[in-house]
Amino acid sequence: MAYNYVVTAHKPTAANASLFGNFTGPDDLNLIVAKNNRLDIQLVTAEGLVPLLDVGIYGRIASMQLIRPKNERCDLLFILTCRYRVCILQYKPETKSIITRAYGDMKNRVSRPSETGLIGIVDPDCKVVCLKLYDGWLKLIPLELDTEKEMIAEDVRLEELQVLDVKFLHGFAEPTIALIYENGQNRYMKTYEIALQNADLRQHSWNIGKVEEEAFMIIPVPHPSCGAVVVGAGSISYYKNKDSLHITPASLKNRITCFGRVDSNGCRYLLGDCNGRLFMLILVQENSQSGNVIKDLCLEYLGDTSIASSITYLDNAFAYIGSSCGDSQLIKLNTSPNSETDSYIDIIENFTNLGPIIDMVSVDLDRQGQSQLVTCSGVGKNASLRVLRNGVGIHELANIDLDHICGIWRLRTASLNISEYDDVLVLSFAGHSRFLKFDGQEVEETDIAGFDDYKETDFASNVAYDQMVQITSESVRLARCDGKGLLQEWKPPNGKTISKSTASNSQIMVASGCELYYLEIGEGELKQVSNIALEHDIACIDISLKDDNGQAQICAVGLWVDMSARLLLLPSLQIMLTESLGGDIIPRSIMLNKFDDEIYLLVAMGDGTLVYYLVNTTTCSLANRKSVNLGVVHSNLYTFKSGSISNVFACSDRPTVIYINNHKLVFSNVNLKKVNFMSPFHSKSFPNSLALVNDSGFIIGTIDEIQKLHIRTKPLAETARRIAHQEESQSFAVLTCRTEVPAGEGFVPAHQSASLLVPSRVMCPEQDEKMAVATQVDPYLEKNIDSVVIIDQHTLDAQSALQLQDCEWGMSLISCKFENDQETYYCVGTAFVNLEDKEPSKGNIRILKFSDGKIQHVCSEEVPGAVYCMVAFNGKLLVSVNSTVSVYEWTANRTLTEETSFHNNVLALYLKTKGDFILIGDLMRSISLCAYRPMDNEIELICKNNDPNWMTAVEIIDDDSYLGGENSYNLFTCQKNSSSSEEELKHLPTVGVYHLGEFVNVFRHGSLVMQNTVDIPDSVQGSILFGTVSGAVGVVVTLAPPMFQFVSAIANKLSTVIKSVGKIEHKFWRSFFNDRKTEPCQNFVDGDLVESFLDLSPEDMQTVANGLMIQTDDEVRPATVEDILKTVEELSRIH
């Protein structure tokens, strides 16, 4: 039985809706963005947008609106979810949390869900809520607010069935709605007045009747003008009573997708179309005796933005463009156009959006055990490749080639009164040192008065009283920053040499064999305070941990021979604690560091293992020993600041940044192959940088913001449908689709894009004349051109492209090797699409070879339909063509020959294989399992799932368990039947169901964390990544039964302790739901809920722990908070 843990690694980023108002305070200006089931609440400031709250909702947000009822000081937030729950939310500044003022369940048992989408609106006077959830019905809710007031709706019959839009109008004594509906081939607008007393509709005196063709959007105009603007295809109209105005601007070529009001009086509106063009609609007002009258409409094109799903005007000419097809944007509107681009728009900031993730691959490009996820994200001109890496990026600013560097330190050689910037890097080599001075971008070698460049430097630093210290194997040298030379030199007694050393602002620790010396720095002097002889030679030493006065109170050392760590009290050097590290590996670097409020002891061992402990300074003890593997050679540990927070950089063959998140240490890999030594460096030309030494020299670079997931973007400007990676050619192949528009007697690209900007571009061989006639393109409409684009895996630059035929769509793409052929090929599956046909009747399997920067078309096999999916299959090619699954063999003549096929499908959209087993995901017949019998040359049906699931993605968990995603945002698992009954053996039963709330497009086996560097328990197996339409990336892992029972019990307790937003129950949110049935969640556990345990207060943690039992090796006992923390922390490391 598969017991699955589902958790989000990257939250949804596609912006569905946005609002502007005073939500968190009367004087606060807030931007609220809905991203699937999350609310992103930000503060609008003069410096930009500042994140305030990220709130999870137990439901996908269908509609939201800010309202201001009477006697309320701040706006309230009305929300409608896709499963018919409504709520009104308020922000509580005292607790910085969201409370529920009203809530309700609006689901009907027998009504037909609306085919034109859900609409939820509140009237301008906050008297009534109007919902359009079902065809032929409206729901009316009198607005009454209280703390957790349940909302009760009245159903009102509506004559109009195909209602496209509903809005409340301004300027009426009673709440009045306007709606656009479709009847036959025409569209009409009608207005109704809502009678609150008996919750009924009365037809209003406005009788607009038939409106423009394809009208679909109503924009209500507020006081003083009132009325409504209706947007259609190519036309805009204004209606008020019997008056109307109409314009058909030439610039309005595409469908408008959203609008945002600019002025409170409704004079100006921003409109965005489906191609990302932004317009300003101006309602020209004129004062008359009867009041304000709209005299004219004017539409001005402003410029291009991301394709907008929401537009919110903020203030002072700034607006937010929310996009579900690309990055959202903060823009500024200018009064005059840019002289070069002729645009009135400046893009101030982009907000990364991965959605929609159409396809993705998991690859280890650096071959370090660190997988990266490369996604096909966005649509049209907003399309791009995104590279997701779980780690930290270093952005190189400069590099210098110098071999055999043994250490690096920064220095400021000017007085602090003159400059705060570092200007020298001290480089240590075998037998000597070199000092590089930075003057702007210029670098030259220099001398430092008082420093010995004929000795190898073991440590160097600025210290108190505008002084500098250099420690070599012979002595400690103190010099002034003003260049006046050596102030004092200290040497170990009896001519001993210094083996290890370190220093802080006013303290120095020096080791000579087993002797440890403590020195203090005065103005112009070095004073030996104490010393101690330890049992064994000292291998490493550290005094990084400072108190509030900047003084170290504890010294940490690691010893040879007994492989121990010691903590000594300063200044007495009294031994506080001795800890045996175990084994026979020497500790090579040691550090005490404070992460948040916890002190950790980190010990880097000679084999690349990092051992770490939690330090209790009160009891002078170590606890919670853990270890991770950071490489195969020892690490050198250094501290650096990210903002005001101290983090640790571990230099090794797999460099790692160590930081704390949610009270646990996180180990994030750095995008460099090897780092031997590191020093912070803050110069004028390279502020807030790091100097990093490798085998060939050193680089200076800035470090990414410390966070778990980093995203690199490569714009394509044309939709990427499929992606495949080929290790042999170190490339990606991407199936893209660009748009061309009519121009003269032909077509031209709508804009420049990846397939047009390659150094090498070729065309596919022409198809036969009969097919060319059958797929002729309408010369007056846009057309799509599909291409195969080859992209370098390191630079992500497009290198070559193969353009497919007119009306030939790329459907599938893989890289594979065939039996008895050493070459590696890209295989492309296509379909010839004629919009008049019900389904494609012809396609191609094209075999391509990429070498020397060019694509070679090797061969093409015509097939009778669309090639929806292909899989490399035991040296052969497994292909789904319409309803047929076939196995193709690669011949010695480099052609494809069909061996056998299987026909029991409606549309075989998805294929996954393991050994000879084939998992098929059907359009509407769920999943089925087949086996390829090479001896019999046949594909045999083993078993199939009989639920009518409409599949969106499938994956094989293990030999007996299978995972599916379906189009109602659910996941389910099936398991092979172990029954002896022949009839039951043919059935593939559903054993797990879960409402994910995300539309999954793709599953891929893989992990975002570096293997062998995290403590993942044996009870957690496998890792399947998924990508969704909203831009979320998630992980599914399988838990052992005892672990699953314990984690499920934690989730159940958390669902009662954590108060849900909107009073939507967690069990309702995660219950499997589609238009046929609703079932409780089974054999899945919500990792997002479980990991929220780490954010609880200690009191709430204890409440969760009360009554829970945990199974250990030899007993079942009551669980403690520490047990739960350990389990949740381990689970959180899988992503």
Side-chain angles (χ1 to χ4, degrees):
M1 186 72 72
Y3 300 101
N4 298 295
Y5 180 86
V6 184
V7 66
T8 303
H10 183 262
K11 295 175 183 176
T13 50
N16 311 113
S18 56
L19 301 169
F20 179 69
N22 311 106
F23 183 63
T24 61
D27 301 319
D28 289 351
L29 300 178
N30 298 117
L31 173 68
I32 303 176
V33 183
K35 298 176 180 178
N36 196 39
N37 68 316
R38 305 201 69 83
L39 289 174
D40 183 9
I41 302 172
Q42 305 184 59
L43 187 66
V44 181
T45 69
E47 290 75 32
L49 298 175
V50 179
L52 282 184
L53 278 177
D54 180 28
V55 182
I57 305 289
Y58 289 160
R60 292 182 298 116
I61 298 169
S63 178
M64 65 178 188
Q65 182 179 336
L66 284 174
I67 60 175
R68 182 72 71 90
K70 289 182 180 178
N71 304 320
E72 295 289 343
R73 297 179 66 245
C74 300
D75 293 333
L76 306 181
L77 181 62
F78 167 79
I79 288 178
L80 165 68
T81 75
C82 292
R83 290 177 68 177
Y84 311 120
R85 294 295 183 97
V86 294
C87 58
I88 296 176
L89 308 178
Q90 180 182 2
Y91 178 76
K92 276 291 184 183
E94 300 84 3
T95 58
K96 296 182 179 179
S97 62
I98 303 291
I99 65 167
T100 302
R101 292 287 299 274
Y103 69 96
D105 184 357
M106 300 297 138
K107 185 178 180 180
N108 288 356
R109 281 189 168 185
V110 295
S111 301
R112 186 177 68 182
S114 173
E115 295 180 359
T116 55
L118 308 184
I119 296 175
I121 51 176
V122 183
D123 83 289
D125 297 324
C126 300
K127 296 178 181 178
V128 63
V129 178
C130 178
L131 306 176
K132 184 203 70 115
L133 310 180
Y134 301 98
D135 287 339
W137 295 91
L138 287 181
K139 284 182 176 288
L140 303 178
I141 310 171
L143 195 57
E144 299 175 4
L145 292 175
D146 203 346
T147 302
E148 297 191 352
K149 170 77 174 179
E150 185 169 4
M151 302 168 77
I152 307 298
E154 293 285 343
D155 288 322
V156 179
R157 189 70 184 172
L158 197 62
E159 295 177 2
E160 299 76 24
L161 296 178
Q162 296 292 316
V163 176
L164 304 174
D165 196 14
V166 183
K167 289 290 192 303
F168 275 105
L169 299 178
H170 295 260
F172 296 97
E174 296 296 331
T176 302
I177 59 172
L179 57 87
I180 291 176
Y181 66 96
E182 187 172 66
N183 189 358
Q185 300 297 316
N186 298 317
R187 297 190 178 180
Y188 302 85
M189 181 173 171
K190 189 179 285 189
T191 57
Y192 288 99
E193 183 180 282
I194 297 175
L196 293 175
Q197 295 79 9
N198 53 5
D200 198 6
L201 297 180
R202 293 195 292 260
Q203 189 163 337
H204 196 264
S205 56
W206 281 27
N207 188 13
I208 307 301
K210 186 178 178 182
V211 292
E212 47 268 77
E213 184 181 354
E214 296 187 34
F216 61 92
M217 180 187 291
I218 300 173
I219 303 176
V221 180
H223 292 283
S225 301
C226 302
V229 172
V230 175
V231 180
S235 65
I236 299 175
S237 302
Y238 170 78
Y239 295 96
K240 184 178 181 183
N241 296 323
K242 296 181 180 180
D243 299 328
S244 62
L245 294 169
H246 307 273
I247 58 171
T248 54
S251 58
L252 192 60
K253 300 175 182 178
N254 304 105
R255 181 183 175 93
I256 297 296
T257 57
C258 54
F259 73 91
R261 192 174 76 194
V262 175
D263 303 306
S264 58
N265 63 0
C267 288
R268 295 180 297 171
Y269 295 87
L270 292 171
L271 306 181
D273 74 6
C274 60
N275 279 351
R277 288 154 53 88
L278 188 68
F279 300 87
M280 179 77 79
L281 174 64
I282 302 170
L283 277 60
V284 181
Q285 296 185 353
E286 182 180 278
N287 290 322
S288 66
Q289 293 181 352
S290 57
N292 278 58
V293 178
I294 303 299
K295 282 296 184 182
D296 197 7
L297 304 176
C298 180
L299 188 73
E300 295 287 344
Y301 169 65
L302 300 180
D304 281 11
T305 66
S306 290
I307 299 170
S309 54
S310 71
I311 300 175
T312 301
Y313 183 80
L314 302 177
D315 200 6
N316 294 326
F318 287 91
Y320 174 80
I321 307 296
S323 179
S324 58
C325 299
D327 290 348
S328 297
Q329 296 172 326
L330 178 66
I331 66 170
K332 187 176 189 303
L333 304 175
N334 300 315
T335 54
S336 57
N338 183 290
S339 58
E340 295 181 1
T341 63
D342 208 31
S343 171
Y344 289 84
I345 298 170
D346 286 337
I347 307 297
I348 305 301
E349 188 174 359
N350 285 292
F351 304 95
T352 300
N353 169 32
L354 298 185
I357 298 174
I358 302 171
D359 194 16
M360 66 187 191
V361 290
S362 177
V363 292
D364 181 7
L365 297 180
D366 300 326
R367 299 184 182 179
Q368 293 185 333
Q370 169 72 70
S371 290
Q372 300 178 43
L373 201 62
V374 185
T375 67
C376 297
S377 295
V379 175
K381 71 173 189 178
N382 297 145
S384 62
L385 293 184
R386 306 292 177 114
V387 182
L388 282 71
R389 188 179 191 276
N390 199 337
V392 177
I394 301 291
H395 302 284
E396 184 177 317
L397 304 176
N399 70 81
I400 294 178
D401 293 334
L402 279 173
D403 293 340
H404 310 302
I405 300 175
C406 301
I408 189 168
W409 300 268
R410 61 172 174 172
L411 280 181
R412 171 183 44 80
T413 59
S415 169
L416 192 57
N417 296 328
I418 298 174
S419 174
E420 64 171 337
Y421 293 105
D422 305 324
D423 58 356
V424 169
L425 284 175
V426 178
L427 305 179
S428 179
F429 299 86
H432 71 285
S433 297
R434 299 170 69 175
F435 314 119
L436 299 185
K437 187 170 181 67
F438 287 75
D439 185 6
Q441 297 289 334
E442 299 296 322
V443 182
E444 63 179 4
E445 196 164 348
T446 188
D447 293 323
I448 298 177
F451 275 32
D452 189 350
D453 57 356
Y454 290 101
K455 295 291 187 298
E456 180 178 337
T457 300
D458 189 66
F459 186 86
S461 176
N462 287 95
V463 292
Y465 306 109
D466 262 345
Q467 300 173 127
M468 303 177 293
V469 67
Q470 180 196 24
I471 305 176
T472 68
S473 59
E474 284 189 1
S475 65
V476 179
R477 304 173 67 88
L478 186 68
R480 286 191 62 82
C481 289
D482 57 11
K484 292 183 178 179
L486 184 67
L487 295 173
Q488 187 177 353
E489 185 176 18
W490 178 92
K491 294 184 177 182
N494 304 321
K496 294 180 179 179
T497 60
I498 295 173
S499 54
K500 290 291 176 183
S501 64
T502 189
S504 65
N505 191 48
S506 60
Q507 298 164 289
I508 298 175
M509 300 301 304
V510 173
S512 178
C514 62
E515 293 280 340
L516 182 64
Y517 299 91
Y518 170 58
L519 286 69
E520 290 186 349
I521 302 169
E523 188 168 4
E525 67 170 351
L526 297 170
K527 179 182 178 182
Q528 181 181 326
V529 177
S530 57
N531 68 290
I532 187 174
L534 300 174
E535 299 94 318
H536 307 291
D537 284 358
I538 296 167
C540 47
I541 186 169
D542 177 70
I543 52 170
S544 296
L545 185 66
K546 313 290 194 309
D547 61 17
D548 293 340
N549 298 318
Q551 294 287 109
Q553 302 295 332
I554 302 174
C555 173
V557 297
L559 299 188
W560 292 69
V561 182
D562 69 352
M563 315 308 171
S564 67
R566 310 284 175 97
L567 298 186
L568 296 89
L569 189 64
L570 295 179
S572 65
L573 293 182
Q574 175 188 345
I575 297 176
M576 303 165 58
L577 180 148
T578 299
E579 175 73 12
S580 174
L581 299 171
D584 56 0
I585 306 299
I586 302 166
R588 303 302 297 267
S589 185
I590 193 167
M591 177 173 288
L592 282 165
N593 196 65
K594 191 172 186 178
F595 296 98
D596 280 355
D597 296 325
E598 302 285 0
I599 297 171
Y600 285 83
L601 175 66
L602 312 175
V603 186
M605 309 300 289
D607 62 352
T609 301
L610 180 78
V611 179
Y612 61 100
Y613 304 83
L614 198 58
V615 181
N616 188 324
T617 54
T618 305
T619 61
C620 206
S621 61
L622 303 180
N624 295 351
R625 173 183 168 128
K626 295 179 181 177
S627 65
V628 295
N629 190 335
L630 298 184
V632 295
V633 300
H634 77 270
S635 299
N636 292 312
L637 303 175
Y638 303 91
T639 58
F640 71 98
K641 288 289 185 73
S642 176
S644 61
I645 300 171
S646 176
N647 301 303
V648 175
F649 196 107
C651 299
S652 71
D653 58 321
R654 291 205 296 244
T656 303
V657 169
I658 306 170
Y659 65 100
I660 198 158
N661 184 39
N662 282 334
H663 315 296
K664 66 179 184 292
L665 285 191
V666 179
F667 301 86
S668 287
N669 308 108
V670 177
N671 64 337
L672 298 175
K673 290 189 175 180
K674 188 177 184 182
V675 176
N676 300 325
F677 308 98
M678 186 279 288
S679 172
F681 188 55
H682 179 58
S683 70
K684 279 187 177 180
S685 298
F686 306 107
N688 302 312
S689 300
L690 302 178
L692 303 142
V693 175
N694 54 36
D695 290 341
S696 60
F698 71 90
I699 69 169
I700 297 172
T702 58
I703 192 165
D704 279 334
E705 180 185 351
I706 302 296
Q707 60 189 52
K708 286 198 69 175
L709 207 61
H710 287 274
I711 300 169
R712 176 184 172 194
T713 301
K714 183 64 177 181
L716 297 176
E718 55 184 299
T719 302
R721 288 181 174 155
R722 294 289 181 267
I723 185 170
H725 178 247
Q726 192 173 91
E727 187 175 348
E728 290 79 2
S729 62
Q730 297 196 352
S731 66
F732 295 103
V734 182
L735 269 177
T736 67
C737 174
R738 73 173 186 267
T739 300
E740 296 197 348
V741 295
E745 297 182 357
F747 290 84
V748 297
H751 49 262
Q752 289 297 302
S753 57
S755 62
L756 299 172
L757 300 174
V758 293
S760 168
R761 185 157 67 101
V762 295
M763 307 290 289
C764 267
E766 290 292 333
Q767 74 264 25
D768 61 75
E769 186 177 333
K770 181 180 178 181
M771 195 64 204
V773 173
T775 58
Q776 282 183 348
V777 179
D778 190 329
Y780 302 104
L781 298 177
E782 294 179 348
K783 71 172 183 176
N784 293 329
I785 299 293
D786 282 29
S787 302
V788 182
V789 181
I790 305 297
I791 292 175
D792 181 87
Q793 71 174 27
H794 300 293
T795 65
L796 298 185
D797 291 334
Q799 296 181 308
S800 183
L802 173 76
Q803 181 172 310
L804 302 181
Q805 297 297 325
D806 284 352
C807 299
E808 185 180 17
W809 290 16
M811 308 297 290
S812 53
L813 171 67
I814 63 167
S815 171
C816 75
K817 277 187 173 182
F818 294 110
E819 195 173 24
N820 302 321
D821 190 338
Q822 296 303 311
E823 300 286 352
T824 305
Y825 301 97
Y826 281 118
C827 304
V828 182
T830 73
F832 285 94
V833 177
N834 189 341
L835 298 180
E836 296 179 359
D837 295 339
K838 291 184 178 180
E839 64 180 17
S841 59
K842 178 184 173 182
N844 280 318
I845 302 171
R846 298 189 182 273
I847 308 299
L848 312 177
K849 180 80 174 71
F850 175 70
S851 62
D852 300 326
K854 295 183 179 180
I855 298 178
Q856 175 189 354
H857 191 279
V858 179
C859 79
S860 178
E861 177 70 19
E862 185 176 315
V863 293
V867 184
Y868 287 112
C869 192
M870 295 186 295
V871 178
F873 187 58
N874 302 333
K876 302 177 182 181
L877 189 64
L878 183 69
V879 178
S880 67
V881 179
N882 287 4
S883 62
T884 302
V885 176
S886 302
V887 175
Y888 282 83
E889 184 180 23
W890 184 243
T891 69
N893 297 325
R894 300 211 299 179
T895 59
L896 290 170
T897 303
E898 186 178 16
E899 276 195 351
T900 186
S901 58
F902 174 77
H903 301 278
N904 192 18
N905 306 288
V906 176
L907 277 183
L909 298 182
Y910 312 102
L911 299 173
K912 291 294 171 73
T913 63
K914 188 171 186 180
D916 287 334
F917 289 99
I918 303 167
L919 184 68
I920 302 172
D922 193 271
L923 171 69
M924 55 195 299
R925 286 189 184 171
S926 194
I927 62 177
S928 54
L929 183 68
C930 297
Y932 173 58
R933 310 294 188 197
M935 300 300 293
D936 301 326
N937 197 26
E938 68 173 4
I939 298 175
E940 176 190 356
L941 177 65
I942 303 297
C943 51
K944 64 178 180 179
N945 181 258
N946 295 322
D947 293 332
N949 293 319
W950 291 64
M951 303 305 298
T952 63
V954 299
E955 190 53 87
I956 298 174
I957 298 175
D958 55 36
D959 289 342
D960 298 321
S961 303
Y962 314 98
L963 175 66
E966 54 92 72
N967 71 337
S968 293
Y969 309 88
N970 301 299
L971 299 181
F972 67 93
T973 52
C974 296
Q975 186 156 354
K976 270 199 292 189
N977 211 320
S978 58
S979 170
S980 59
S981 165
E982 183 176 345
E983 189 63 33
E984 290 183 357
L985 283 174
K986 293 181 179 179
H987 177 50
L988 186 62
T990 300
V991 295
V993 291
Y994 181 80
H995 184 73
L996 182 64
E998 295 276 358
F999 192 101
V1000 177
N1001 271 334
V1002 57
F1003 289 119
R1004 288 284 182 264
H1005 280 281
S1007 172
L1008 286 171
V1009 297
M1010 180 173 282
Q1011 302 304 302
N1012 304 319
T1013 64
V1014 293
D1015 294 325
I1016 297 177
D1018 294 336
S1019 53
V1020 178
Q1021 296 295 322
S1023 177
I1024 297 173
L1025 302 172
F1026 60 82
T1028 74
V1029 168
S1030 68
V1033 175
V1035 184
V1036 181
V1037 297
T1038 300
L1039 303 182
M1043 175 73 129
F1044 179 80
Q1045 292 171 8
F1046 183 52
V1047 174
S1048 295
I1050 295 172
N1052 290 335
K1053 287 295 291 290
L1054 282 168
S1055 67
T1056 61
V1057 171
I1058 297 176
K1059 205 170 186 180
S1060 66
V1061 175
K1063 290 209 72 174
I1064 304 172
E1065 305 84 1
H1066 180 265
K1067 64 179 181 181
F1068 168 82
W1069 164 231
R1070 293 306 186 191
S1071 60
F1072 184 98
F1073 169 84
N1074 58 28
D1075 56 4
R1076 297 176 300 278
K1077 65 179 180 180
T1078 301
E1079 291 183 11
C1081 171
Q1082 181 181 1
N1083 291 335
F1084 280 89
V1085 64
D1086 183 354
D1088 294 334
L1089 176 64
V1090 170
E1091 293 178 20
S1092 67
F1093 179 82
L1094 300 173
D1095 301 323
L1096 295 181
S1097 65
E1099 296 76 18
D1100 285 339
M1101 286 185 176
Q1102 187 59 55
T1103 302
V1104 173
N1106 292 338
L1108 291 184
M1109 305 297 290
I1110 186 171
Q1111 180 178 336
T1112 59
D1113 293 337
D1114 52 358
E1115 64 175 343
V1116 176
R1117 59 173 176 80
T1120 64
V1121 170
E1122 288 71 26
D1123 292 328
I1124 301 174
L1125 272 173
K1126 180 176 182 294
T1127 300
V1128 176
E1129 284 178 358
E1130 287 173 345
L1131 289 170
S1132 68
R1133 291 192 180 102
I1134 67 176
H1135 61 94

